[in-house]
Amino acid sequence: MDYILPDGCRKYFRDPFGPLFPDIATAESVFAGCVIIAVGDVVTQNLVDAGIIPDLAVIDGSTMREPCDRVLDLPVPEVVVVNPAGMVTGVLIRAIEDAMHAGPSLIRVDGEEDLAVIPAVRAAPDGACVLYGQPGEGVVVIKVDEHSRDRAEVLFRLFVAE
C-alpha cells in the first residue's frame, strides 16, 4: 500500500524532528556508537567524508530538488525503489524494514526520499539514530526511542492510504 501526504499536512514536516546541529562533526557525539540511518544525499556524503559509513543510507540523487553534484557509491548492497514526491510507497517502507535486518545497505530512490525519515524511525531499533539534512541549517539527529517512534506514528497517520 502507498501513502500520500495531503498538501494541508506538509506544514507538520517543516520543523526539525529532533535536535538540529550545524554539521556532522558537532552532532557526532550524539550518534557515536549508534546504528546510523542517513536520509538524504548531502548528509550521507558528509558522513562518508567524515569516515563514517552509515548502516543504512536512503538517497535520491538530488538535494533541494536539484541534481546532487555528489555521486555516492558506498561499498554496501544497493536496492533501487520508486517513491514519488509527496508520498511514501509500500516498496520504500519494505526496503527500509528489510535493511534493518540485512546489515549495511543503500536504498537509492527513483523519485524523492524526503519523507523516508518517518518509516525509518518507525522501523529502527531503539538506540539507533536517524540523520537527515535541514536545508540551509544543518543536520537533524533523531535518537530512536519510544517517544520518537510515537511521534513518527502520529506523523504517519497524516498520510492517506492509496
Side-chain angles (χ1 to χ4, degrees):
M1 188 172 302
D2 297 334
Y3 303 89
I4 299 172
L5 182 63
D7 289 340
C9 294
R10 293 180 192 274
K11 61 186 174 192
Y12 299 110
F13 291 80
R14 289 189 185 116
D15 291 333
F17 190 149
L20 175 64
F21 299 89
D23 53 41
I24 292 294
T26 308
E28 192 168 0
S29 65
V30 175
F31 65 78
C34 294
V35 168
I36 299 171
I37 298 129
V39 177
D41 294 72
V42 173
V43 74
T44 301
Q45 185 64 58
N46 289 341
L47 284 165
V48 171
D49 290 348
I52 302 163
I53 302 296
D55 296 282
L56 171 60
V58 184
I59 63 171
D60 64 7
S62 66
T63 182
M64 296 172 48
R65 294 188 173 75
E66 295 293 327
C68 188
D69 60 355
R70 304 171 183 199
V71 178
L72 285 164
D73 187 24
L74 298 176
V76 298
E78 182 176 319
V79 175
V80 177
V81 301
V82 174
N83 191 80
M87 66 187 304
V88 175
T89 60
V91 173
L92 176 60
I93 293 169
R94 280 187 299 283
I96 291 170
E97 291 170 348
D98 290 348
M100 293 298 157
H101 306 288
S105 304
L106 171 65
I107 298 173
R108 196 174 298 271
V109 175
D110 179 4
E112 192 172 280
E113 99 295 83
D114 295 10
L115 296 171
V117 169
I118 302 304
V121 171
R122 292 174 75 217
D126 281 351
C129 287
V130 177
L131 284 68
Y132 72 92
Q134 188 78 8
E137 296 186 52
V139 61
V140 176
V141 179
I142 305 164
K143 191 92 162 189
V144 178
D145 59 14
E146 184 179 343
H147 174 73
S148 61
R149 201 171 286 111
D150 287 348
R151 184 161 179 219
E153 283 298 326
V154 168
L155 291 170
F156 187 70
R157 286 189 214 118
L158 297 172
F159 288 78
V160 175
E162 181 181 69

